[in-house]
Amino acid sequence: FRKPRTSLPAREATIYPYLLGDVKIERPNQVWASDITYLPMAHGFLYLAAIIDVYSRKVLAWRLTNTLTADFCVEALNEALGTYGAPAMFNTDQGAQFTSEDWIETLKAAKIEISMDGKGRWIDNVFIERLWRSVKYEEVYLHGYANGTEARARLKEYFAFYNAKRAHQAHDYQTPDEVYFGVEPSRLAKAA
């Protein structure tokens, strides 16, 4: 079947350059990234947007919807900014949601440098593409959600697991929470 296209730019939208080419990401809140993917359902599909901290791979906020308007992405962005502060830089693709006035103005108001992937360059946002692979193969494809309510509840559980319990080889088998907050696993467990 034909897959939904999630990265079409808005007409006459400003496209920003890709700024991460020579950037060494060394700390949390240095670079955040966002993307949208589709989730197959028993009947149709839903769209999932997530915002991650690139250094730690922590999922900072996410939203699920059945339309590709920019508002659900902006809601996730506002939640992440309100909870974690502002990153130095934010990277996305050139999709209409991320070139929308609401999205761009929110980033500018927070004084965040804007970076966008080159057209057709999925590798520029590889960390969130890797998240989509994990979400789909470890959760979505195993459960075949019947509706949006079920999908939202299961994804809430999955992202809690992903951040707090799923170890990442790239971080010496620490979880995203351990890396983001900079605490040893035993101290993080006591704080919870």
Side-chain angles (χ1 to χ4, degrees):
F1 64 92
R2 190 171 175 196
K3 297 178 181 179
R5 295 185 64 193
T6 59
S7 297
L8 295 174
R11 288 181 187 224
E12 301 179 24
T14 301
I15 304 299
Y16 289 80
Y18 181 67
L19 303 176
L20 301 179
D22 295 323
V23 172
K24 185 170 182 177
I25 301 169
E26 303 174 307
R27 62 181 169 75
N29 286 354
Q30 182 180 354
V31 178
W32 289 0
S34 188
D35 196 18
I36 300 168
T37 192
Y38 75 97
L39 305 179
M41 304 284 290
H43 301 285
F45 48 85
L46 292 173
Y47 298 104
L48 173 63
I51 296 172
I52 64 166
D53 174 69
V54 174
Y55 177 74
S56 66
R57 316 298 198 270
K58 179 175 176 59
V59 177
L60 304 171
W62 60 277
R63 289 292 186 279
L64 194 62
T65 188
N66 62 356
T67 63
L68 270 177
T69 58
D71 60 332
F72 81 113
C73 296
V74 175
E75 284 177 17
L77 176 58
N78 285 326
E79 177 187 329
L81 291 171
T83 305
Y84 300 102
M89 191 180 303
F90 206 116
N91 189 66
T92 64
D93 63 23
Q94 298 177 17
Q97 299 77 14
F98 305 121
T99 57
S100 73
E101 186 176 338
D102 289 345
W103 179 268
I104 296 297
E105 290 307 314
T106 302
L107 294 177
K108 285 181 176 180
K111 296 179 176 36
I112 300 168
E113 279 190 90
I114 302 169
S115 172
M116 291 184 176
D117 302 347
K119 189 172 183 173
R121 298 248 328 151
W122 65 269
I123 194 73
D124 290 346
N125 218 359
V126 70
F127 299 110
I128 200 151
E129 296 295 341
R130 182 64 182 92
L131 171 67
W132 293 151
R133 185 177 187 276
S134 298
V135 169
K136 289 180 178 182
Y137 283 92
E138 295 174 7
E139 172 59 23
V140 176
Y141 296 156
L142 298 177
H143 297 102
Y145 310 132
N147 55 49
T149 302
E150 180 185 348
R152 193 167 282 106
R154 299 254 353 164
L155 287 168
K156 183 178 180 182
E157 290 176 15
Y158 178 78
F159 286 128
F161 161 79
Y162 181 90
N163 281 336
K165 297 186 179 173
R166 187 181 185 279
H168 288 247
Q169 182 179 3
H171 287 302
D172 295 325
Y173 297 96
Q174 290 183 296
T175 67
D177 278 349
E178 291 165 352
V179 174
Y180 184 84
F181 294 113
V183 292
E184 298 170 20
S186 59
R187 288 183 51 211
L188 190 63
K190 288 178 188 175

